[in-house]
Amino acid sequence: MTHCVKLAAKMVSASFGRGLMERIDDDMFDVVIIGCGIVGAAAAYELSKYELSVAVLERENDVGASGATKANSAVIHAGYDPEPGTLMARLNVEGARHAKQLFHDLDISHVQCGSLVLAFSADDEAALEELLRQGRRNGLDDMRILTREETLAAEPNVSKSVTAALLAPSAMIVNPWEYTLALAETAIRNGAQVRLDSGVTAITKIDGGYAICTARGEVTARCVVNAAGLYADTIHNMVFEPEFKILPDRGEYFLLDKSEGERVSHVVFQCPNEHGKGVLVAPTVHGNLIVGPSNEPPGDIENVSTTQAKMAYIKDVARLSVPSIDFGANIRSFAGSRAKSDHGDFIIAHAKGAKDFINLAGIKSPGLSAAPAIAVMAAELVAEALPPFPRKQGFTATRTRVKFAHLDASQRAELVARDPAYGHIICRCELVTEGEVRDALNAPIPPVSLDGVKRRTGTGMGRCQGGFCGPRLFEILAEFHGCDLTEVLADGEGAYVLSSQTKIGSAKGGQAL
């Protein structure tokens, strides 16, 4: 007997999401995780280490495809900023340390570039001293304050008005999409299920657990982990009286061309204010420069538009740090909403009176940094709700993938000799090959859209923003999923690029339309 109020009228075609369209049966999972952003994916990875049946429900057609995981600064913060004694402080530092090992084990693109907080006045220098004290209380012992001369030697392009800077060597930059995908794929390889296009519409308490109604049917679970990000309060309130409220804010960003990628070599901040860490200037793992974010309530929780006023504000503030930034080299502007809550700190706890319902909510910055430690804490809470469960024997803890652009000439030649598909360049800007796209399509979570391929391989992220590689990717996706070109998505459900009236010629070789 179903507990669903209703099912979505349209189900995803079985050809889209091959390997993820398992029948939803009557078996009860030990744990169902709602949401597959970075926190949900980390929880799935951690729980897949144990003899548990685990399923992840994600409303989008891909993991890490919405919310803060999709659009953020891509920084693993050192951990000096959160107030000592908070969950944010402890889990930031622990999570960053876990992350460094995960990046190695799961072959995730990252750079330990360190961060600088700039001072421009005596008040700012006092703020740096306080951040240094906070960092040490949070467990960081490698930080120090640089003189003006040391700061300019480390970053010649910062403002000559700088008077000092706080150096945190452990800060890193990462590809957050790759990070999320690697965790989710590894969880699948260890027995977890990830069910896409499975937005939760209702939850009912039943004997021994919960019945969860999704767009693809009903799932039952002994224990629920709520990692729904911007919708964590909505998910919680489906079963319980409200305990917290998500109060999202929107951050807008510039992504500049690789010509600006060496403008700075550290993540560069100004002193934090009441709005958070403020506007940063940072390199990316792809060799670009990211500048942002702004900070404002979005009004509509789904509003990820950029605005002329906020983009102008970002420019003005960023130039106080790095005056020479060439914003004419901007190749994309974007925005994302962050799941701040009315509690201030992270919410990682059982729902009141229900040990079998665990909220991972209010995960604002430094959520990306803290995610692995949040997942460990979530697993501890699950252990309080379920009978004892042992660690899994033979857990798969490693993952590797081909990154053609990172290979030297001899490695490339050897790879192409083994498989000529790696000799066919699909994306000239990012040097992505057809072999890499094929690998992504045959991975545990294959992409169903152009942006899905981009999140996995980097296609379309360069100067031409997909003008060269887009047509060939259309053909590859259509062929793999057995669909018409007009059914290929740009990103989310319904975001089609072509209409049935569009006429295109062959896209072989990557020619533009």
Side-chain angles (χ1 to χ4, degrees):
M1 178 178 178
T2 181
H3 294 268
C4 297
V5 177
K6 64 178 181 178
L7 297 180
K10 182 180 179 182
M11 302 295 281
V12 179
S13 166
S15 65
F16 275 76
R18 190 176 303 170
L20 297 172
M21 301 300 297
E22 306 93 339
R23 179 177 63 89
I24 295 181
D25 55 33
D26 295 328
D27 292 339
M28 180 176 281
F29 287 98
D30 292 318
V31 184
V32 163
I33 300 165
I34 300 175
C36 202
I38 185 63
V39 173
Y45 170 86
E46 187 65 29
L47 289 168
S48 72
K49 295 177 180 179
Y50 300 92
E51 293 294 346
L52 293 167
S53 57
V54 178
V56 188
L57 306 178
E58 168 54 49
R59 69 172 187 147
E60 303 293 344
N61 63 11
D62 201 0
V63 302
S66 65
T69 302
K70 181 179 182 181
N72 58 74
S73 303
V75 174
I76 303 298
H77 297 284
Y80 56 79
D81 186 58
E83 182 180 347
T86 61
L87 281 175
M88 286 193 293
R90 175 168 68 86
L91 299 180
N92 182 163
V93 175
E94 291 178 6
R97 288 171 180 162
H98 285 314
K100 193 170 183 179
Q101 186 63 48
L102 285 171
F103 296 162
H104 175 268
D105 292 345
L106 303 182
D107 196 15
I108 298 166
S109 303
H110 70 288
V111 178
Q112 185 174 335
C113 59
S115 66
L116 292 173
V117 183
L118 305 182
F120 297 99
S121 67
D123 286 345
D124 283 352
E125 290 181 37
L128 296 190
E129 294 285 355
E130 178 57 28
L131 289 175
L132 179 62
R133 285 191 289 271
Q134 282 195 177
R136 288 174 175 165
R137 289 177 63 190
N138 290 345
L140 300 173
D141 56 11
D142 59 351
M143 299 169 58
R144 67 186 182 96
I145 294 178
L146 306 183
T147 64
R148 177 180 186 275
E149 291 71 27
E150 289 174 320
T151 303
L152 290 171
E155 289 291 357
N157 289 320
V158 301
S159 171
K160 300 304 183 285
S161 299
V162 70
T163 61
L166 177 66
L167 171 64
S170 61
M172 295 178 278
I173 54 176
V174 67
N175 179 342
W177 302 333
E178 183 184 352
Y179 189 9
T180 303
L181 185 71
L183 292 168
E185 285 187 347
T186 307
I188 290 172
R189 289 190 172 104
N190 286 288
Q193 294 185 27
V194 174
R195 297 181 173 182
L196 305 176
D197 292 289
S198 296
V200 173
T201 56
I203 306 174
T204 304
K205 187 74 178 78
I206 59 173
D207 186 32
Y210 298 87
I212 306 162
C213 180
T214 81
R216 288 176 50 201
E218 185 178 279
V219 179
T220 55
R222 294 178 178 85
C223 183
V224 172
V225 175
N226 173 16
L230 294 168
Y231 296 93
D233 54 353
T234 301
I235 294 297
H236 170 92
N237 296 347
M238 287 179 178
V239 199
F240 305 100
E241 290 298 314
E243 295 180 28
F244 58 90
K245 185 173 179 57
I246 299 298
L247 304 169
D249 54 31
R250 181 179 64 212
E252 302 178 27
Y253 293 87
F254 286 96
L255 182 67
L256 306 186
D257 188 59
K258 286 181 171 60
S259 61
E260 288 294 297
E262 296 182 0
R263 187 68 64 181
V264 296
S265 58
H266 297 75
V267 180
V268 175
F269 296 98
Q270 295 171 19
C271 285
N273 55 39
E274 66 276 12
H275 299 301
K277 298 179 180 69
V279 172
L280 62 79
V281 180
T284 74
V285 294
H286 298 100
N288 301 85
L289 190 76
I290 190 170
V291 184
S294 58
N295 186 300
E296 63 177 326
D300 176 6
I301 198 170
E302 297 286 350
N303 180 7
V304 289
S305 60
T306 57
T307 63
Q308 184 177 5
K310 288 299 178 181
M311 299 308 281
Y313 163 81
I314 292 169
K315 283 184 182 181
D316 290 343
V317 175
R319 282 176 171 149
L320 297 176
S321 297
V322 187
S324 58
I325 296 172
D326 177 12
F327 284 97
N330 185 52
I331 58 174
R332 181 171 288 263
S333 302
F334 65 94
S337 290
R338 298 159 291 208
K340 182 177 66 174
S341 81
D342 58 356
H343 282 214
D345 201 358
F346 292 159
I347 301 165
I348 305 173
H350 303 292
K352 288 181 180 177
K355 282 192 173 182
D356 54 4
F357 194 103
I358 297 159
N359 289 308
L360 311 180
I363 312 298
K364 62 177 183 177
S365 180
L368 183 67
S369 312
I374 293 172
V376 170
M377 191 171 175
E380 293 169 352
L381 294 173
V382 168
E384 294 178 22
L386 297 178
F389 45 84
R391 289 186 73 94
K392 190 173 290 177
Q393 296 298 313
F395 175 76
T396 299
T398 59
R399 164 187 177 270
T400 59
R401 66 188 189 91
V402 172
K403 301 175 185 176
F404 189 82
H406 296 184
L407 303 179
D408 61 30
S410 62
Q411 291 171 321
R412 290 176 184 177
E414 182 182 347
L415 181 65
V416 172
R418 291 202 311 266
D419 187 341
Y422 292 108
H424 182 194
I425 303 299
I426 293 289
C427 174
R428 292 184 298 190
C429 298
E430 301 297 314
L431 206 63
V432 180
T433 67
E434 187 166 342
E436 291 166 276
V437 174
R438 181 201 60 198
D439 291 345
L441 288 165
N442 288 291
I445 308 177
V448 300
S449 68
L450 292 174
D451 277 7
V453 178
K454 175 170 73 174
R455 286 188 283 271
R456 287 157 175 78
T457 67
T459 54
M461 290 190 65
R463 182 173 296 175
C464 80
Q465 290 290 288
F468 178 80
C469 61
R472 179 65 184 126
L473 288 173
F474 265 99
E475 290 190 339
I476 292 172
L477 278 168
E479 179 182 356
F480 179 81
H481 291 297
C483 68
D484 188 78
L485 289 173
T486 58
E487 297 177 89
V488 174
L489 295 167
D491 195 4
E493 180 63 25
Y496 300 105
V497 179
L498 303 176
S499 73
S500 59
Q501 284 76 41
T502 304
K503 305 294 184 184
I504 72 169
S506 171
K508 296 292 184 186
Q511 297 95 325
L513 292 178

